[in-house]
Amino acid sequence: MNNSRKLAISAGILFIIYTSLDVLSVLFLGPLNSTNYLVSVSENASLVGAGAFLLLIGGACASGIAISLYPVLKKFNPVLALGAVGFRISEGVLRFVSMCVLLSIITLSQLYVKAGAPESSYFQTLGELLLAGKGWVSHVGALLAFSIGCTLYYIIFYQTKLVPRWISVWGLVFGILGIVSCALVSTGLIAPFSTVQVVMLIPMLPQEIVLAVWLIVKGFNPSAVASGAAKTTTKSF
């Protein structure tokens, strides 16, 4: 098994783990959507904590995906390949920040319950600020880093035919939609994680699974890989 095949399998596995953890984290973080979320989070602290940890692992996978793809993609476009790594590492960092915010909400919720759950207090104000911060970090910051990062490597995929172009076009369309959704949230036209934003993003989930399966089963197009290797050899002389 050659190196490009190993890298394709590694990236494919990381794609599956990343996407699966994203879906699971939404289920684990359900208490945050409760009307009386401070009480709900306090009662389900271990569940929310597990969801926060899943976000952290997902961030590590995001960085790992771009790092796994980089040795192959840099042969065709080192600038875009490095940019993809940078943005997806940034996504991982922002997910770490999101995890810290979630853990802070857990602590706040427990203090709120110990205080007797007062109807009006600084607990609610601070909780709302933390929730808003988590929303901006997750649904704008991390999502924007993800969208730009994946758009960069889908451009290379499309240009080189390392994977079928229909997969690349699918990825490009929804990578750009992800960027647009972040712009709409930032300008206040839609709310973070609103129905509109979710509808714009959901098609990316099956796309990444399809890409993952293709990389694991088929790998990169051998003729495209050989072309990249030839270009690298030519430049070295």
Side-chain angles (χ1 to χ4, degrees):
M1 184 182 295
N2 60 38
N3 190 49
S4 66
R5 187 75 183 94
K6 291 177 181 177
L7 292 171
I9 292 173
S10 297
I13 292 172
L14 288 171
F15 268 118
I16 290 175
I17 296 172
Y18 173 85
T19 304
S20 301
L21 292 180
D22 259 15
V23 174
L24 279 175
S25 67
V26 172
L27 301 177
F28 278 71
L29 300 177
L32 291 170
N33 301 318
S34 173
T35 304
N36 195 357
Y37 66 92
L38 286 176
V39 173
S40 182
V41 169
S42 179
E43 292 174 346
N44 300 277
S46 59
L47 190 69
V48 176
F53 186 63
L54 291 179
L55 286 177
L56 180 62
I57 299 174
C61 289
S63 303
I65 288 168
I67 291 170
S68 295
L69 295 175
Y70 178 73
V72 176
L73 301 186
K74 72 175 182 178
K75 297 174 183 177
F76 301 93
N77 194 320
V79 175
L80 292 185
L82 186 60
V85 172
F87 276 106
R88 300 231 53 181
I89 289 177
S90 297
E91 178 193 354
V93 172
L94 289 169
R95 279 173 173 258
F96 174 76
V97 173
S98 183
M99 181 198 72
C100 292
V101 173
L102 285 170
L103 295 179
S104 297
I105 293 174
I106 292 174
T107 301
L108 179 69
S109 71
Q110 292 169 339
L111 292 173
Y112 174 73
V113 171
K114 285 181 181 179
E119 290 186 7
S120 180
S121 70
Y122 70 89
F123 289 104
Q124 286 96 334
T125 302
L126 186 53
E128 291 296 328
L129 286 172
L130 288 173
L131 274 181
K134 192 266 178 189
W136 284 108
V137 171
S138 297
H139 308 310
V140 177
L143 175 60
L144 183 61
F146 158 79
S147 300
I148 295 175
C150 71
T151 298
L152 293 178
Y153 54 68
Y154 281 124
I155 290 173
I156 302 176
F157 283 157
Y158 180 82
Q159 292 174 338
T160 61
K161 297 183 181 179
L162 281 165
V163 297
R165 276 191 165 168
W166 61 270
I167 295 179
S168 303
V169 171
W170 189 359
L172 279 170
V173 168
F174 290 107
I176 293 170
L177 278 178
I179 296 171
V180 171
S181 77
C182 291
L184 293 176
V185 172
S186 297
T187 54
L189 295 176
I190 61 174
F193 208 57
S194 62
T195 302
V196 175
Q197 189 179 34
V198 171
V199 168
M200 294 176 76
L201 299 176
I202 277 183
M204 181 63 81
L205 296 178
Q207 191 277 340
E208 291 211 319
I209 293 298
V210 169
L211 174 62
V213 172
W214 185 274
L215 290 175
I216 293 170
V217 176
K218 295 285 190 178
F220 297 115
N221 180 351
S223 61
V225 173
S227 173
K231 288 181 181 179
T232 302
T233 304
T234 301
K235 288 179 182 179
S236 64
F237 284 99

